Amino acid sequence: MINTMWGGRFAGSPAEAMEEINASIEFDRQLAAQDIAGSEAHLAMLARQGIVEAADAEAIARGLAQVKGEIEAGTFSFSRALEDIHMNIESRLSEIVGPAAGRLHTARSRNDQVAVDFRLWVRDAIDAILLQIEALQRALAARALETAAMVMPGFTHLQSAQPVTFGHHLLAHVEMLARDAGRFKDARKRLNECPLGAAALAGTSFPIDRDMTAKALGFDRPTANSLDSVADRDFALEALAAAAIAATHLSRFAEEIVLWTTPQFGFVRLSDAFTTGSSIMPQKRNPDAAELVRGKTGRIVGALIGLLTVMKGLPLAYAKDMQEDKEGVFDAFRTLALSLAAMTGMVEDLTPDPKRMKAAAGAGYATATDLADWLTRALKLPFREAHHVTGRIVALAASRGVALEKLTLEEMKSVEPRITEEAFSVLGVERSVGSRASYGGTAPANVRRQAKAWLKRLGPG
């Protein structure tokens, strides 16, 4: 069939393959609410400016309300032949209102229409994600307060490094999420300009009021250049970049949960709510929720790379390539929302094993740095020399097959004669974490203070 919305120039129907590749209604129907909101704002402006007569404007407004109701009720019939959400809504509006419905598209193109719809959708998605990030931060901070003094090994290179507390470790993820939220807020601020009124690419000769439509839709201002308004999708790219970084942070935490729940680590346990079993091995408890969060990060990163690739070679202004801007964004935000929900659930669900973590914290000579610090403080050795002395003491303990604190004073003196009994006071893991009282350090008092500060900042939710 010839598309009655734009088919005046065409005498024939599109090929089946053309219709297949050209249609976007299967995914851009998600823009329905935003499309109607943009149309309502545009209509109100056209009426106030005298571009559309009041009687027609009232009829169109009633028609838009009816279309909105049908879509919300699930009774709206979407047509692939009408290509996209804009033409589907306009076609149904014409059935309800009659020829006057065609006045709604005065001073507007599908180019600025989709640009405003998409900005509204991304803005709404960011707002929803920000609430989920706060919920995960709140859960992490609450658990951090509970476990502020629970000692665990801190790792570098996945090797035991220095003792930290479980609460301190959880607060590290709160800080990462805070930066994720900041990136989303920055993206939201930059996207909050309204492209409606840019028309196809050059603006319009009608006496429109772009400030009015921008204000009605909650934008800070109209976009300043009509070409840029319809040609760029950097607002979606920036939101995807924030989503990809956030997903990467979630993936790193998910990987830790996968490790911690293994029998070899045994640091935490997840309940049946966030694990699955094996079809053949009855003993298995698999951390599938964490593994799926880790795996789904690839979809989000892929969406960013996909849209960057679409946009990289496009001259100004609009090109149909840009129809490929939405599916990846829709999927990425849906995936990120699910991942955040799963991570929040796991944080609230997990049960730590303090005995197992404490035992692991003392393994691998994790208090060696504390001994080196003591040598620097008590014996006034330059730290590099203290580091060397401690390394020799660690080698001695390893050759004996014992922990540092199990060496005798005489054995330590064989490496550094000035060592005294006081050196043993820094070798316990609780003493180690308690001594790390510098700002941002793992001392339990620090962790409690930071966790309380975050809970106060985040509020009750």
Side-chain angles (χ1 to χ4, degrees), residues 15-249:
E16 183 179 345
M18 176 59 190
E19 184 173 317
E20 180 71 22
I21 199 171
N22 195 45
S24 59
I25 189 60
E26 284 83 1
F27 56 85
D28 71 14
R29 67 175 64 186
Q30 293 184 58
L31 298 174
Q34 290 80 15
D35 194 72
I36 290 174
S39 290
E40 289 173 336
H42 186 64
L43 175 66
M45 181 275 296
L46 292 176
R48 199 182 76 169
Q49 294 297 103
I51 299 170
V52 171
E53 294 182 359
D56 285 339
E58 290 172 6
I60 295 169
R62 288 194 299 270
L64 285 171
Q66 181 175 332
V67 172
K68 181 179 180 181
E70 290 174 1
I71 292 173
E72 291 175 347
T75 60
F76 188 92
S77 179
F78 293 98
S79 168
R80 166 175 282 214
L82 292 169
E83 296 182 14
D84 57 32
I85 187 62
H86 323 298
M87 288 189 169
N88 269 265
I89 289 175
E90 185 173 339
S91 177
R92 177 61 181 140
L93 186 65
S94 296
E95 292 174 356
I96 297 168
V97 177
R103 300 189 186 282
L104 176 60
H105 209 57
T106 306
R108 185 175 71 170
S109 164
R110 277 193 297 176
N111 294 355
D112 62 336
Q113 189 176 359
V114 71
V116 74
D117 291 359
F118 199 21
R119 282 184 189 240
L120 288 170
W121 191 95
V122 172
R123 191 177 71 184
D124 290 343
I126 287 174
D127 290 344
I129 288 294
L130 286 170
L131 291 176
Q132 286 194 279
I133 289 175
E134 287 184 2
L136 177 52
Q137 287 181 293
R138 201 175 291 113
L140 286 163
R143 298 309 302 269
L145 188 58
E146 296 170 9
T147 59
M150 189 179 292
V151 179
M152 70 173 291
F155 299 96
T156 60
H157 308 277
L158 204 57
Q159 305 293 314
S160 292
Q162 293 177 270
V164 297
T165 70
F166 191 55
H168 190 59
H169 194 114
L170 296 179
L171 286 179
H173 290 288
V174 174
E175 295 292 334
M176 294 181 200
L177 288 163
R179 294 192 296 276
D180 292 327
R183 277 181 281 271
F184 278 116
K185 290 174 184 176
D186 287 346
R188 190 193 193 284
K189 183 178 180 180
R190 270 184 287 278
L191 75 77
N192 209 37
E193 295 182 348
C194 184
L196 193 58
L201 76 162
T204 178
S205 59
F206 288 94
I208 62 172
D209 185 345
R210 294 190 64 206
D211 289 297
M212 178 182 173
T213 49
K215 182 178 180 181
L217 293 169
F219 289 104
D220 294 329
R221 63 191 69 84
T223 50
N225 182 283
S226 60
L227 282 167
D228 176 55
S229 301
V230 300
D232 210 349
R233 293 295 185 265
D234 59 352
F235 65 90
L237 287 167
E238 189 171 7
L240 281 176
I245 296 170
T248 301
H249 284 153

Side-chain angles (χ1 to χ4, degrees), residues 215-433:
K215 182 178 180 181
L217 293 169
F219 289 104
D220 294 329
R221 63 191 69 84
T223 50
N225 182 283
S226 60
L227 282 167
D228 176 55
S229 301
V230 300
D232 210 349
R233 293 295 185 265
D234 59 352
F235 65 90
L237 287 167
E238 189 171 7
L240 281 176
I245 296 170
T248 301
H249 284 153
L250 296 183
S251 182
R252 295 182 70 185
F253 189 23
E255 168 65 7
E256 289 176 329
I257 291 175
V258 171
L259 289 172
W260 293 345
T261 55
T262 62
Q264 290 74 19
F265 275 77
F267 290 176
V268 303
R269 183 180 184 276
L270 289 172
S271 76
D272 295 352
F274 289 95
T275 56
T276 66
S278 165
S279 64
I280 190 172
M281 295 169 285
Q283 83 282 6
K284 294 293 292 299
R285 181 187 291 274
N286 300 321
D288 282 9
E291 292 173 4
L292 286 166
V293 168
R294 187 178 61 186
K296 287 180 182 295
T297 300
R299 294 171 67 149
I300 300 171
V301 174
L304 171 61
I305 299 303
L307 184 53
L308 282 167
T309 305
V310 167
M311 298 302 299
K312 72 175 183 62
L314 298 186
L316 299 183
Y318 181 85
K320 200 59 179 270
D321 311 50
M322 291 164 67
Q323 184 168 286
E324 294 297 311
D325 59 356
K326 299 172 197 68
E327 283 184 279
V329 173
F330 293 160
D331 183 73
F333 273 90
R334 182 170 55 249
T335 301
L336 181 59
L338 181 57
S339 297
L340 284 164
M343 290 303 300
T344 303
M346 283 187 282
V347 168
E348 293 171 341
D349 179 77
L350 62 82
T351 301
D353 186 334
K355 290 183 179 179
R356 190 70 177 261
M357 287 196 286
K358 182 179 177 181
Y365 308 105
T367 56
T369 303
D370 297 277
L371 178 58
D373 288 346
W374 181 87
L375 292 169
T376 298
R377 285 195 308 271
L379 304 185
K380 308 303 180 185
L381 295 181
F383 182 77
R384 285 301 173 202
E385 183 179 346
H387 185 285
H388 181 72
V389 169
T390 302
R392 291 172 58 198
I393 293 172
V394 168
L396 177 62
S399 71
R400 300 281 198 275
V402 298
L404 284 177
E405 60 269 26
K406 297 300 182 182
L407 289 172
T408 66
L409 179 59
E410 288 70 26
E411 286 173 319
M412 286 200 180
K413 281 179 173 290
S414 71
V415 176
E416 172 48 67
R418 290 173 290 173
I419 290 179
T420 68
E421 191 75 34
E422 183 188 344
F424 290 90
S425 68
V426 303
L427 295 181
V429 291
E430 287 93 349
R431 294 190 186 98
S432 175
V433 296

Side-chain angles (χ1 to χ4, degrees), residues 434-455:
S435 71
R436 306 293 173 185
S438 58
Y439 180 77
T442 191
N446 282 7
V447 176
R448 292 189 187 96
R449 185 163 51 249
Q450 289 288 350
K452 289 177 181 177
W454 269 114
L455 289 170

